[in-house]
Amino acid sequence: MLGALTLLLVVLAAAPLAVDVAIGDGVMPGSVLYPVERFGEWERVGIAWIMAGEPGRADVMLRLAEERLNETVYCLRNGMPERAARCMEEWGRLMNVTMNIALRRNCTVLAERVRNATMRHLAVLESLRGTLPASARAGLERAISVCERGSSVSAAVLEEVRRRCGSAG
């Protein structure tokens, strides 16, 4: 009986990760599988942290931030500005954690990756100006504002890490 219960718990814990891996990045907000995919993502973060420490965790979190950006764009294009705002809030949290890891570890490479990602993400959002319906424009401007703050912070983080490590560029 205890073995069967243990097996059931393992299967239930692994199912979201398996679904996340199987369906990839194709599940968007509004889908019935979206909560399952999100749970699987956090399992990936945990596994990366266990297997590779903070650098592995940061790598997965940067990829998840990219997914949140893609979801933000999807939500804005499909009339879901509230969900777009939630995706960008999550984007901000992911980027903040990743920047904190770069600071704690004095990791110039990670700080540069975060900086490059924020600049690329900002360019993606700005490219949407003039292409969205009027109902999505306020949501786009909120998303751009969040991304601009992230970009400013990432520049400061990169500068601080470079200062600590004595590398000018």
Side-chain angles (χ1 to χ4, degrees), residues 9 36 42 46 93 118 142 157:
L9 289 175
V36 176
W42 288 108
R93 284 190 290 273
T118 58
R142 281 192 306 271
V157 166

Side-chain angles (χ1 to χ4, degrees), residues 66-146:
E66 188 87 29
E67 287 184 34
R68 293 300 86 80
L69 176 75
N70 292 336
E71 292 167 1
T72 299
V73 171
Y74 172 85
C75 290
L76 289 170
R77 286 186 173 151
N78 289 283
M80 298 184 282
E82 301 83 21
R83 286 193 172 156
R86 287 195 300 270
C87 289
M88 279 310 290
E89 288 169 10
E90 178 66 14
W91 176 91
R93 284 190 290 273
L94 290 162
M95 296 304 274
N96 283 336
V97 169
T98 306
M99 286 185 263
N100 284 328
I101 292 170
L103 277 171
R104 278 195 308 273
R105 297 185 62 84
N106 288 323
C107 184
T108 306
V109 172
L110 179 57
E112 287 171 347
R113 285 182 60 212
V114 172
R115 177 69 180 140
N116 291 337
T118 58
M119 291 171 45
R120 188 175 63 254
H121 297 170
L122 186 57
V124 166
L125 291 171
E126 288 177 338
S127 74
L128 294 175
R129 283 189 167 132
T131 67
L132 296 174
S135 61
R137 289 187 189 130
L140 174 62
E141 293 308 315
R142 281 192 306 271
I144 288 172
S145 177
V146 168

